[in-house]
Amino acid sequence: MTTPKLRRLVQLLARLPGVGEKTAQRYVLYLLAADPSIARDLGEELSRLHETIRPCDECGNLAEADGQSPLLCQVCRDDRRDPALLCVVGRVQDLLAIERTGTMRGRYFVLGKLLSPLDGVGPESLPIPRLKQKIARDGVRELIVATPPSVDGEATALLLKRELDGVGIPLTRIASGVPHGGDLEFADPITMGRALSGRQRL
Amino acid sequence: MTTPKLRRLVQLLARLPGVGEKTAQRYVLYLLAADPSIARDLGEELSRLHETIRPCDECGNLAEADGQSPLLCQVCRDDRRDPALLCVVGRVQDLLAIERTGTMRGRYFVLGKLLSPLDGVGPESLPIPRLKQKIARDGVRELIVATPPSVDGEATALLLKRELDGVGIPLTRIASGVPHGGDLEFADPITMGRALSGRQRL
């Protein structure tokens, strides 16, 4: 871009995931050609983002700061949700993916990270004590472990199983197998193996 | 997303070209996890975008508003550029693409739009009088017509040729043909035809 200010804006936009300099430049040129209110509104929302949005004190989901304490997200505020059904996820993204199904009637607990010894994330880095407290306080009767079916996700699931063994509530694990609409021909051997070993009676 | 503010931000981001709701959500989650200064800086730059960046009064390129009048872009300010060589482009994007080659030693004139009768853009919508003035004032000796080799771009080139016929300066047209690294096998017939008809002595 031809001016220092534009170069700076392009560099800032290019920090977004999957955005390179060309895409960032496309965004800027679009905004310059569009109604000035779009860039202004977007700019104001972004400036305030970290003041407005904070993690829910109860579950770690994204919550809108409204000056109340504790800060609760919309799921934790929803009385129709069953507090006895708790779903443990690694990241907020995973919580959002589960919410999109519209079938989760319980609440969540966001770990924030997965066990990953190679990256220096050991069991002590995970909020297991806080999870245990929540289980006891909310009278949880089923814990759905919805960490991803990856190496770190499975390791985290096994750690939870070991840590919560004495708590005496059933832990369940989300199914792993061939995705909906997926082709058996193109499923990798691990996925196909899981689809087989996780088979259920018709 | 789980809160009204987040939904609004996602909707604003999803107005960017090629950005859907999922990508917008990814951007927001990235910004929330990243250092707060990134979202804040980005927000401030975007809020001020339309105040900071305006079209150059001379050529229509993007220029940084610094309170001076007339507002000149970096190309028009550059004394080493030859004002007698003028390159006409349709959009600022095209100017930037030519600048990236580093081989253009003249100046530009951004039309802002191409002739497009189907979209209601007729000859009177193009800034031809302003272009004629600039040609006379700057003593232009060659006009490079760098509109794209599309239907609208070619129509605009022909219009310029007709309108500037009496001005008495040579008009040149950028070459159209098989792109660098391109495969003849996969070139469309029009491109291949242009590559043939535009052949030059080796």
Side-chain angles (χ1 to χ4, degrees):
Chain A
M1 303 290 271
T2 48
T3 89
K5 290 258 178 198
L6 280 176
R7 270 195 295 275
R8 181 171 151 72
L9 179 53
V10 165
Q11 278 164 7
L12 282 167
L13 283 168
R15 299 187 70 158
L16 293 173
V19 176
E21 218 163 285
K22 273 208 167 175
T23 305
Q25 188 179 299
R26 206 168 142 228
Y27 291 172
V28 173
L29 291 169
Y30 165 81
L31 288 171
L32 278 169
D35 190 280
S37 69
I38 297 181
R40 205 175 47 232
D41 291 355
L42 187 55
E44 283 168 12
E45 292 292 333
L46 286 172
S47 305
R48 285 198 305 258
L49 179 63
H50 282 263
E51 294 158 38
T52 321
I53 307 297
R54 298 191 166 280
C56 170
D57 287 332
E58 190 59 39
C59 76
N61 184 14
L62 301 177
E64 210 160 293
D66 53 3
Q68 289 184 33
S69 177
L71 176 59
L72 294 181
C73 71
Q74 294 200 330
V75 175
C76 288
R77 274 185 204 174
D78 185 351
D79 291 335
R80 291 160 305 177
R81 298 283 185 137
D82 182 3
L85 179 65
L86 190 64
C87 179
V88 178
V89 294
R91 307 174 307 161
V92 171
Q93 282 93 317
D94 305 331
L95 183 159
L96 294 174
I98 296 172
E99 279 297 290
R100 276 198 290 275
T101 67
T103 57
M104 175 64 186
R105 50 181 190 76
R107 296 223 165 104
Y108 296 92
F109 187 86
V110 180
L111 292 170
K113 51 185 83 170
L114 298 174
L115 198 62
S116 182
L118 289 178
D119 296 326
V121 183
E124 70 292 345
S125 309
L126 297 181
I128 310 268
R130 216 153 49 78
L131 175 59
K132 283 182 177 168
Q133 281 170 24
K134 186 168 173 64
I135 290 170
R137 202 173 53 233
D138 290 0
V140 171
R141 285 193 304 274
E142 179 184 349
L143 192 82
I144 304 176
V145 180
T147 54
S150 61
V151 172
D152 292 354
E154 297 291 7
T156 308
L158 288 174
L159 173 77
L160 290 176
K161 185 178 162 59
R162 207 180 62 205
E163 289 282 337
L164 300 174
D165 210 26
V167 175
I169 54 157
L171 268 67
T172 54
R173 181 93 179 93
I174 54 165
S176 173
V178 183
H180 172 72
D183 209 321
L184 298 200
E185 181 183 355
F186 302 118
D188 64 282
I190 295 177
T191 299
M192 199 60 234
R194 280 184 177 156
L196 274 176
S197 65
R199 67 192 180 278
Q200 299 196 329
R201 188 174 289 275
L202 265 178
Chain B
M1 301 291 271
T2 50
T3 89
K5 290 257 180 201
L6 281 175
R7 269 194 296 274
R8 181 171 150 72
L9 179 54
V10 165
Q11 279 163 6
L12 282 168
L13 284 168
R15 299 187 70 158
L16 293 173
V19 176
E21 218 165 286
K22 273 208 165 173
T23 305
Q25 188 178 300
R26 204 167 144 229
Y27 291 171
V28 173
L29 291 168
Y30 164 81
L31 288 170
L32 278 168
D35 191 279
S37 69
I38 298 181
R40 205 176 45 234
D41 291 354
L42 188 55
E44 282 167 13
E45 292 293 335
L46 286 173
S47 305
R48 284 197 305 259
L49 179 62
H50 281 264
E51 293 158 39
T52 319
I53 307 298
R54 300 192 166 277
C56 170
D57 287 332
E58 191 59 39
C59 75
N61 184 15
L62 301 177
E64 210 160 292
D66 53 4
Q68 288 183 31
S69 179
L71 175 60
L72 293 182
C73 72
Q74 295 199 330
V75 176
C76 288
R77 273 184 206 174
D78 185 351
D79 290 337
R80 290 161 305 176
R81 296 286 185 136
D82 181 2
L85 180 64
L86 190 64
C87 179
V88 177
V89 294
R91 308 174 308 162
V92 171
Q93 283 93 316
D94 305 331
L95 183 159
L96 295 173
I98 295 172
E99 278 298 289
R100 276 198 292 275
T101 66
T103 57
M104 175 64 186
R105 49 179 191 77
R107 295 222 167 108
Y108 296 92
F109 187 85
V110 180
L111 293 171
K113 52 186 80 172
L114 298 174
L115 199 61
S116 182
L118 288 177
D119 296 328
V121 183
E124 71 292 344
S125 310
L126 298 181
I128 309 269
R130 215 153 52 74
L131 175 59
K132 283 183 179 167
Q133 280 170 24
K134 188 168 172 63
I135 289 171
R137 202 173 52 233
D138 289 3
V140 171
R141 284 193 303 275
E142 179 185 350
L143 192 81
I144 304 176
V145 181
T147 55
S150 61
V151 172
D152 292 354
E154 296 292 8
T156 308
L158 287 175
L159 174 76
L160 290 177
K161 185 176 161 57
R162 207 181 60 203
E163 289 282 336
L164 301 176
D165 210 25
V167 176
I169 54 161
L171 267 67
T172 53
R173 182 92 180 94
I174 54 166
S176 174
V178 183
H180 173 72
D183 209 320
L184 298 200
E185 181 184 355
F186 302 120
D188 65 280
I190 294 176
T191 299
M192 200 59 235
R194 281 184 178 157
L196 273 176
S197 64
R199 68 192 180 276
Q200 299 195 329
R201 188 173 290 273
L202 264 179

CSV table of all heavy atoms in Angstrom, one decimal, chain A residues 37-89:
chain,number,residue,atom,x,y,z
A,37,SER,N,-19.5,4.4,7.7
A,37,SER,CA,-20.0,3.9,9.0
A,37,SER,C,-19.5,2.5,9.2
A,37,SER,O,-19.4,2.1,10.4
A,37,SER,CB,-21.5,4.0,9.0
A,37,SER,OG,-22.0,3.0,8.1
A,38,ILE,N,-19.3,1.7,8.2
A,38,ILE,CA,-18.9,0.3,8.4
A,38,ILE,C,-17.5,0.2,9.1
A,38,ILE,O,-17.3,-0.4,10.1
A,38,ILE,CB,-18.9,-0.5,7.1
A,38,ILE,CG1,-20.3,-0.6,6.5
A,38,ILE,CG2,-18.4,-1.9,7.3
A,38,ILE,CD1,-20.4,-1.3,5.2
A,39,ALA,N,-16.5,0.9,8.5
A,39,ALA,CA,-15.2,1.0,9.2
A,39,ALA,C,-15.3,1.6,10.6
A,39,ALA,O,-14.6,1.1,11.5
A,39,ALA,CB,-14.2,1.7,8.3
A,40,ARG,N,-16.1,2.6,10.7
A,40,ARG,CA,-16.1,3.3,12.0
A,40,ARG,C,-16.8,2.3,13.1
A,40,ARG,O,-16.2,2.2,14.2
A,40,ARG,CB,-17.0,4.5,11.9
A,40,ARG,CG,-16.6,5.6,12.9
A,40,ARG,CD,-17.4,6.9,12.7
A,40,ARG,NE,-18.8,6.6,12.4
A,40,ARG,CZ,-19.5,7.0,11.3
A,40,ARG,NH1,-18.9,7.8,10.4
A,40,ARG,NH2,-20.7,6.7,11.1
A,41,ASP,N,-17.9,1.7,12.7
A,41,ASP,CA,-18.6,0.8,13.7
A,41,ASP,C,-17.6,-0.4,14.0
A,41,ASP,O,-17.5,-0.7,15.2
A,41,ASP,CB,-19.9,0.3,13.1
A,41,ASP,CG,-20.9,1.3,12.9
A,41,ASP,OD1,-20.6,2.5,13.4
A,41,ASP,OD2,-22.0,1.1,12.4
A,42,LEU,N,-17.0,-1.0,13.0
A,42,LEU,CA,-16.1,-2.1,13.2
A,42,LEU,C,-15.0,-1.7,14.1
A,42,LEU,O,-14.6,-2.4,15.1
A,42,LEU,CB,-15.6,-2.6,11.8
A,42,LEU,CG,-14.8,-3.8,11.8
A,42,LEU,CD1,-15.5,-5.0,12.4
A,42,LEU,CD2,-14.4,-4.2,10.4
A,43,GLY,N,-14.4,-0.5,13.8
A,43,GLY,CA,-13.3,0.0,14.6
A,43,GLY,C,-13.7,0.2,16.1
A,43,GLY,O,-13.0,-0.2,17.0
A,44,GLU,N,-14.9,0.8,16.3
A,44,GLU,CA,-15.3,1.0,17.7
A,44,GLU,C,-15.5,-0.3,18.4
A,44,GLU,O,-15.1,-0.4,19.6
A,44,GLU,CB,-16.6,1.9,17.7
A,44,GLU,CG,-16.2,3.3,17.4
A,44,GLU,CD,-17.4,4.2,17.1
A,44,GLU,OE1,-18.5,3.8,17.4
A,44,GLU,OE2,-17.2,5.4,16.7
A,45,GLU,N,-16.2,-1.3,17.8
A,45,GLU,CA,-16.4,-2.5,18.4
A,45,GLU,C,-15.1,-3.2,18.8
A,45,GLU,O,-15.0,-3.8,19.9
A,45,GLU,CB,-17.3,-3.5,17.5
A,45,GLU,CG,-18.7,-3.0,17.3
A,45,GLU,CD,-19.5,-3.1,18.6
A,45,GLU,OE1,-19.2,-3.9,19.4
A,45,GLU,OE2,-20.5,-2.3,18.7
A,46,LEU,N,-14.1,-3.2,17.9
A,46,LEU,CA,-12.9,-3.8,18.1
A,46,LEU,C,-12.1,-3.1,19.2
A,46,LEU,O,-11.5,-3.8,20.1
A,46,LEU,CB,-12.0,-3.9,16.8
A,46,LEU,CG,-12.5,-4.9,15.8
A,46,LEU,CD1,-11.7,-4.7,14.5
A,46,LEU,CD2,-12.3,-6.3,16.3
A,47,SER,N,-12.2,-1.8,19.3
A,47,SER,CA,-11.4,-1.0,20.3
A,47,SER,C,-11.9,-1.5,21.7
A,47,SER,O,-11.1,-1.5,22.6
A,47,SER,CB,-11.7,0.5,20.1
A,47,SER,OG,-11.3,0.9,18.9
A,48,ARG,N,-13.2,-1.8,21.8
A,48,ARG,CA,-13.8,-2.1,23.1
A,48,ARG,C,-13.8,-3.6,23.4
A,48,ARG,O,-14.3,-4.0,24.4
A,48,ARG,CB,-15.2,-1.5,23.1
A,48,ARG,CG,-15.3,0.0,23.3
A,48,ARG,CD,-16.7,0.3,23.8
A,48,ARG,NE,-17.7,-0.2,22.9
A,48,ARG,CZ,-18.3,0.5,21.9
A,48,ARG,NH1,-18.1,1.8,21.8
A,48,ARG,NH2,-19.2,0.0,21.2
A,49,LEU,N,-13.4,-4.4,22.4
A,49,LEU,CA,-13.6,-5.8,22.5
A,49,LEU,C,-13.2,-6.4,23.9
A,49,LEU,O,-14.0,-7.1,24.5
A,49,LEU,CB,-12.9,-6.6,21.4
A,49,LEU,CG,-13.0,-8.1,21.3
A,49,LEU,CD1,-14.4,-8.5,21.1
A,49,LEU,CD2,-12.1,-8.7,20.3
A,50,HIS,N,-12.0,-6.1,24.3
A,50,HIS,CA,-11.5,-6.8,25.5
A,50,HIS,C,-12.2,-6.2,26.8
A,50,HIS,O,-12.1,-6.9,27.8
A,50,HIS,CB,-10.0,-6.7,25.6
A,50,HIS,CG,-9.3,-7.7,24.7
A,50,HIS,ND1,-8.9,-8.9,25.2
A,50,HIS,CD2,-9.1,-7.7,23.4
A,50,HIS,CE1,-8.3,-9.6,24.2
A,50,HIS,NE2,-8.4,-8.9,23.1
A,51,GLU,N,-12.7,-5.0,26.7
A,51,GLU,CA,-13.5,-4.5,27.8
A,51,GLU,C,-14.8,-5.1,27.9
A,51,GLU,O,-15.4,-5.4,29.0
A,51,GLU,CB,-13.7,-3.0,27.7
A,51,GLU,CG,-12.4,-2.2,27.8
A,51,GLU,CD,-12.6,-0.8,27.2
A,51,GLU,OE1,-13.6,-0.2,27.4
A,51,GLU,OE2,-11.6,-0.3,26.5
A,52,THR,N,-15.4,-5.4,26.7
A,52,THR,CA,-16.8,-5.9,26.7
A,52,THR,C,-16.9,-7.4,27.0
A,52,THR,O,-17.8,-7.8,27.6
A,52,THR,CB,-17.4,-5.6,25.3
A,52,THR,OG1,-16.9,-4.3,24.8
A,52,THR,CG2,-18.9,-5.6,25.3
A,53,ILE,N,-16.0,-8.1,26.4
A,53,ILE,CA,-16.1,-9.6,26.4
A,53,ILE,C,-15.1,-10.2,27.3
A,53,ILE,O,-13.9,-10.0,27.2
A,53,ILE,CB,-16.0,-10.2,25.0
A,53,ILE,CG1,-16.9,-9.5,24.0
A,53,ILE,CG2,-16.2,-11.7,25.0
A,53,ILE,CD1,-18.4,-9.7,24.3
A,54,ARG,N,-15.5,-10.9,28.3
A,54,ARG,CA,-14.6,-11.5,29.3
A,54,ARG,C,-15.1,-13.0,29.5
A,54,ARG,O,-16.2,-13.3,29.2
A,54,ARG,CB,-14.6,-10.8,30.6
A,54,ARG,CG,-14.2,-9.3,30.4
A,54,ARG,CD,-14.0,-8.7,31.8
A,54,ARG,NE,-13.2,-7.4,31.6
A,54,ARG,CZ,-11.9,-7.3,31.4
A,54,ARG,NH1,-11.2,-8.4,31.4
A,54,ARG,NH2,-11.4,-6.2,31.2
A,55,PRO,N,-14.1,-13.8,30.0
A,55,PRO,CA,-14.6,-15.2,30.3
A,55,PRO,C,-15.6,-15.3,31.5
A,55,PRO,O,-15.5,-14.5,32.4
A,55,PRO,CB,-13.3,-15.9,30.7
A,55,PRO,CG,-12.2,-14.9,30.7
A,55,PRO,CD,-12.7,-13.6,30.3
A,56,CYS,N,-16.6,-16.1,31.3
A,56,CYS,CA,-17.6,-16.4,32.4
A,56,CYS,C,-16.9,-16.9,33.6
A,56,CYS,O,-16.0,-17.8,33.5
A,56,CYS,CB,-18.6,-17.4,31.8
A,56,CYS,SG,-19.7,-18.0,33.1
A,57,ASP,N,-17.2,-16.3,34.8
A,57,ASP,CA,-16.5,-16.7,36.0
A,57,ASP,C,-16.8,-18.2,36.4
A,57,ASP,O,-16.1,-18.8,37.1
A,57,ASP,CB,-16.9,-15.8,37.2
A,57,ASP,CG,-16.3,-14.4,37.0
A,57,ASP,OD1,-15.2,-14.4,36.5
A,57,ASP,OD2,-16.9,-13.5,37.5
A,58,GLU,N,-18.0,-18.7,35.8
A,58,GLU,CA,-18.4,-20.0,36.2
A,58,GLU,C,-17.9,-21.1,35.3
A,58,GLU,O,-17.4,-22.1,35.8
A,58,GLU,CB,-20.0,-20.0,36.2
A,58,GLU,CG,-20.6,-21.2,36.8
A,58,GLU,CD,-20.3,-21.4,38.3
A,58,GLU,OE1,-20.2,-20.4,39.0
A,58,GLU,OE2,-20.1,-22.5,38.7
A,59,CYS,N,-17.9,-20.8,34.0
A,59,CYS,CA,-17.5,-21.9,33.1
A,59,CYS,C,-16.4,-21.6,32.1
A,59,CYS,O,-15.9,-22.5,31.4
A,59,CYS,CB,-18.8,-22.4,32.3
A,59,CYS,SG,-19.3,-21.2,31.0
A,60,GLY,N,-16.1,-20.3,31.9
A,60,GLY,CA,-15.0,-19.9,31.0
A,60,GLY,C,-15.5,-19.6,29.6
A,60,GLY,O,-14.7,-19.2,28.8
A,61,ASN,N,-16.8,-19.7,29.3
A,61,ASN,CA,-17.4,-19.3,28.1
A,61,ASN,C,-17.3,-17.8,27.9
A,61,ASN,O,-17.0,-17.1,28.9
A,61,ASN,CB,-18.9,-19.7,28.1
A,61,ASN,CG,-19.6,-19.4,26.8
A,61,ASN,OD1,-19.0,-19.1,25.8
A,61,ASN,ND2,-20.9,-19.5,26.8
A,62,LEU,N,-17.5,-17.3,26.7
A,62,LEU,CA,-17.4,-15.8,26.5
A,62,LEU,C,-18.7,-15.2,27.2
A,62,LEU,O,-19.8,-15.7,27.0
A,62,LEU,CB,-17.4,-15.5,25.1
A,62,LEU,CG,-16.2,-16.1,24.3
A,62,LEU,CD1,-16.3,-15.7,22.8
A,62,LEU,CD2,-14.9,-15.6,24.9
A,63,ALA,N,-18.5,-14.1,27.9
A,63,ALA,CA,-19.6,-13.4,28.5
A,63,ALA,C,-19.5,-11.9,28.3
A,63,ALA,O,-18.4,-11.4,28.2
A,63,ALA,CB,-19.6,-13.8,30.0
A,64,GLU,N,-20.6,-11.3,28.3
A,64,GLU,CA,-20.6,-9.8,28.1
A,64,GLU,C,-20.5,-9.1,29.4
A,64,GLU,O,-21.4,-9.3,30.3
A,64,GLU,CB,-21.9,-9.4,27.4
A,64,GLU,CG,-21.7,-8.2,26.5
A,64,GLU,CD,-22.8,-8.2,25.4
A,64,GLU,OE1,-22.9,-9.0,24.5
A,64,GLU,OE2,-23.7,-7.2,25.6
A,65,ALA,N,-19.5,-8.4,29.6
A,65,ALA,CA,-19.3,-7.7,30.9
A,65,ALA,C,-20.4,-6.6,31.1
A,65,ALA,O,-20.6,-5.8,30.3
A,65,ALA,CB,-17.9,-7.0,31.0
A,66,ASP,N,-21.1,-6.7,32.2
A,66,ASP,CA,-22.2,-5.8,32.5
A,66,ASP,C,-22.1,-5.2,33.9
A,66,ASP,O,-23.0,-4.8,34.5
A,66,ASP,CB,-23.6,-6.5,32.3
A,66,ASP,CG,-23.7,-7.7,33.1
A,66,ASP,OD1,-22.7,-8.0,33.9
A,66,ASP,OD2,-24.7,-8.4,33.0
A,67,GLY,N,-20.8,-5.3,34.4
A,67,GLY,CA,-20.6,-4.7,35.8
A,67,GLY,C,-21.0,-5.6,36.9
A,67,GLY,O,-20.7,-5.3,38.1
A,68,GLN,N,-21.7,-6.8,36.6
A,68,GLN,CA,-22.2,-7.6,37.7
A,68,GLN,C,-21.0,-8.6,38.0
A,68,GLN,O,-20.2,-9.0,37.2
A,68,GLN,CB,-23.4,-8.4,37.2
A,68,GLN,CG,-24.6,-7.5,37.2
A,68,GLN,CD,-25.9,-8.3,36.8
A,68,GLN,OE1,-26.0,-9.5,37.2
A,68,GLN,NE2,-26.8,-7.7,36.1
A,69,SER,N,-21.1,-9.0,39.3
A,69,SER,CA,-20.1,-10.0,39.8
A,69,SER,C,-20.8,-11.1,40.6
A,69,SER,O,-21.5,-10.7,41.5
A,69,SER,CB,-19.0,-9.3,40.6
A,69,SER,OG,-18.1,-10.2,41.1
A,70,PRO,N,-20.6,-12.4,40.3
A,70,PRO,CA,-19.7,-12.9,39.3
A,70,PRO,C,-20.3,-12.7,37.9
A,70,PRO,O,-21.5,-12.5,37.8
A,70,PRO,CB,-19.7,-14.4,39.6
A,70,PRO,CG,-21.0,-14.7,40.3
A,70,PRO,CD,-21.3,-13.4,41.1
A,71,LEU,N,-19.4,-12.6,36.9
A,71,LEU,CA,-19.8,-12.4,35.5
A,71,LEU,C,-20.3,-13.8,35.0
A,71,LEU,O,-19.5,-14.7,35.0
A,71,LEU,CB,-18.6,-11.9,34.7
A,71,LEU,CG,-18.8,-11.7,33.2
A,71,LEU,CD1,-20.0,-10.8,32.9
A,71,LEU,CD2,-17.6,-11.2,32.6
A,72,LEU,N,-21.5,-13.9,34.5
A,72,LEU,CA,-22.0,-15.1,34.0
A,72,LEU,C,-22.4,-15.0,32.5
A,72,LEU,O,-22.9,-14.0,32.1
A,72,LEU,CB,-23.3,-15.5,34.8
A,72,LEU,CG,-23.1,-15.9,36.3
A,72,LEU,CD1,-24.4,-16.3,36.9
A,72,LEU,CD2,-22.1,-17.0,36.4
A,73,CYS,N,-22.1,-16.1,31.8
A,73,CYS,CA,-22.4,-16.2,30.4
A,73,CYS,C,-23.9,-16.5,30.2
A,73,CYS,O,-24.5,-16.8,31.2
A,73,CYS,CB,-21.5,-17.2,29.6
A,73,CYS,SG,-21.9,-18.9,30.0
A,74,GLN,N,-24.3,-16.5,28.9
A,74,GLN,CA,-25.7,-16.7,28.7
A,74,GLN,C,-26.1,-18.2,29.0
A,74,GLN,O,-27.3,-18.4,29.4
A,74,GLN,CB,-26.1,-16.4,27.3
A,74,GLN,CG,-25.9,-14.9,27.0
A,74,GLN,CD,-26.7,-14.4,25.8
A,74,GLN,OE1,-26.9,-15.1,24.9
A,74,GLN,NE2,-27.1,-13.1,25.8
A,75,VAL,N,-25.2,-19.1,28.9
A,75,VAL,CA,-25.5,-20.5,29.2
A,75,VAL,C,-25.7,-20.7,30.7
A,75,VAL,O,-26.7,-21.3,31.2
A,75,VAL,CB,-24.5,-21.5,28.7
A,75,VAL,CG1,-24.7,-22.9,29.1
A,75,VAL,CG2,-24.4,-21.4,27.2
A,76,CYS,N,-24.8,-20.1,31.5
A,76,CYS,CA,-24.8,-20.2,32.9
A,76,CYS,C,-26.0,-19.4,33.5
A,76,CYS,O,-26.5,-19.8,34.6
A,76,CYS,CB,-23.5,-19.8,33.6
A,76,CYS,SG,-22.2,-20.9,33.3
A,77,ARG,N,-26.5,-18.4,32.8
A,77,ARG,CA,-27.6,-17.6,33.3
A,77,ARG,C,-29.0,-18.3,33.0
A,77,ARG,O,-30.0,-18.0,33.6
A,77,ARG,CB,-27.7,-16.3,32.6
A,77,ARG,CG,-26.8,-15.2,33.2
A,77,ARG,CD,-27.0,-13.9,32.5
A,77,ARG,NE,-25.8,-13.1,32.7
A,77,ARG,CZ,-25.6,-11.9,32.2
A,77,ARG,NH1,-26.5,-11.4,31.3
A,77,ARG,NH2,-24.5,-11.2,32.5
A,78,ASP,N,-28.9,-19.3,32.1
A,78,ASP,CA,-30.2,-19.9,31.6
A,78,ASP,C,-30.6,-20.9,32.6
A,78,ASP,O,-30.1,-22.0,32.7
A,78,ASP,CB,-29.9,-20.5,30.2
A,78,ASP,CG,-31.1,-21.1,29.5
A,78,ASP,OD1,-32.2,-21.1,30.2
A,78,ASP,OD2,-31.0,-21.5,28.4
A,79,ASP,N,-31.8,-20.6,33.3
A,79,ASP,CA,-32.3,-21.5,34.3
A,79,ASP,C,-32.8,-22.9,33.8
A,79,ASP,O,-32.9,-23.8,34.5
A,79,ASP,CB,-33.4,-20.9,35.1
A,79,ASP,CG,-32.9,-19.7,35.9
A,79,ASP,OD1,-31.7,-19.7,36.3
A,79,ASP,OD2,-33.7,-18.8,36.2
A,80,ARG,N,-33.1,-22.9,32.4
A,80,ARG,CA,-33.6,-24.1,31.9
A,80,ARG,C,-32.6,-25.1,31.6
A,80,ARG,O,-32.9,-26.3,31.3
A,80,ARG,CB,-34.4,-23.8,30.6
A,80,ARG,CG,-35.7,-23.0,30.8
A,80,ARG,CD,-36.1,-22.3,29.5
A,80,ARG,NE,-35.0,-21.5,29.0
A,80,ARG,CZ,-35.0,-20.8,27.8
A,80,ARG,NH1,-36.1,-20.9,27.1
A,80,ARG,NH2,-34.0,-20.1,27.4
A,81,ARG,N,-31.3,-24.7,31.7
A,81,ARG,CA,-30.2,-25.7,31.5
A,81,ARG,C,-30.1,-26.5,32.8
A,81,ARG,O,-30.1,-26.1,33.9
A,81,ARG,CB,-28.9,-24.9,31.3
A,81,ARG,CG,-28.9,-24.1,30.1
A,81,ARG,CD,-28.7,-24.9,28.8
A,81,ARG,NE,-28.6,-24.1,27.7
A,81,ARG,CZ,-27.7,-24.3,26.7
A,81,ARG,NH1,-26.9,-25.3,26.7
A,81,ARG,NH2,-27.7,-23.5,25.6
A,82,ASP,N,-29.8,-27.8,32.5
A,82,ASP,CA,-29.6,-28.8,33.6
A,82,ASP,C,-28.2,-28.7,34.2
A,82,ASP,O,-27.3,-29.1,33.5
A,82,ASP,CB,-29.9,-30.2,33.1
A,82,ASP,CG,-29.8,-31.3,34.2
A,82,ASP,OD1,-29.6,-30.9,35.3
A,82,ASP,OD2,-30.0,-32.4,33.8
A,83,PRO,N,-28.0,-28.2,35.4
A,83,PRO,CA,-26.7,-28.1,36.0
A,83,PRO,C,-26.1,-29.5,36.3
A,83,PRO,O,-24.8,-29.5,36.5
A,83,PRO,CB,-26.9,-27.3,37.2
A,83,PRO,CG,-28.3,-27.4,37.6
A,83,PRO,CD,-29.1,-27.7,36.4
A,84,ALA,N,-26.9,-30.5,36.3
A,84,ALA,CA,-26.4,-31.8,36.6
A,84,ALA,C,-25.7,-32.5,35.5
A,84,ALA,O,-25.1,-33.6,35.6
A,84,ALA,CB,-27.5,-32.7,37.2
A,85,LEU,N,-25.8,-31.9,34.3
A,85,LEU,CA,-25.2,-32.4,33.1
A,85,LEU,C,-24.1,-31.4,32.7
A,85,LEU,O,-24.4,-30.3,32.3
A,85,LEU,CB,-26.2,-32.6,31.9
A,85,LEU,CG,-25.6,-33.1,30.6
A,85,LEU,CD1,-25.1,-34.5,30.8
A,85,LEU,CD2,-26.7,-33.1,29.5
A,86,LEU,N,-22.8,-31.9,32.8
A,86,LEU,CA,-21.7,-30.9,32.6
A,86,LEU,C,-20.9,-31.4,31.4
A,86,LEU,O,-20.5,-32.6,31.4
A,86,LEU,CB,-20.9,-30.8,33.8
A,86,LEU,CG,-19.8,-29.6,33.8
A,86,LEU,CD1,-20.5,-28.3,33.7
A,86,LEU,CD2,-19.0,-29.7,35.0
A,87,CYS,N,-20.6,-30.5,30.5
A,87,CYS,CA,-19.8,-30.9,29.3
A,87,CYS,C,-18.5,-30.2,29.4
A,87,CYS,O,-18.4,-29.0,29.4
A,87,CYS,CB,-20.6,-30.5,28.1
A,87,CYS,SG,-19.7,-30.9,26.6
A,88,VAL,N,-17.4,-31.0,29.4
A,88,VAL,CA,-16.0,-30.4,29.5
A,88,VAL,C,-15.5,-30.2,28.1
A,88,VAL,O,-15.4,-31.2,27.3
A,88,VAL,CB,-15.1,-31.3,30.3
A,88,VAL,CG1,-13.7,-30.7,30.3
A,88,VAL,CG2,-15.6,-31.4,31.7
A,89,VAL,N,-15.1,-29.0,27.7
A,89,VAL,CA,-14.5,-28.8,26.4
A,89,VAL,C,-13.1,-28.1,26.6
A,89,VAL,O,-12.8,-27.6,27.6
A,89,VAL,CB,-15.3,-27.8,25.5
A,89,VAL,CG1,-16.7,-28.5,25.2
A,89,VAL,CG2,-15.6,-26.5,26.2
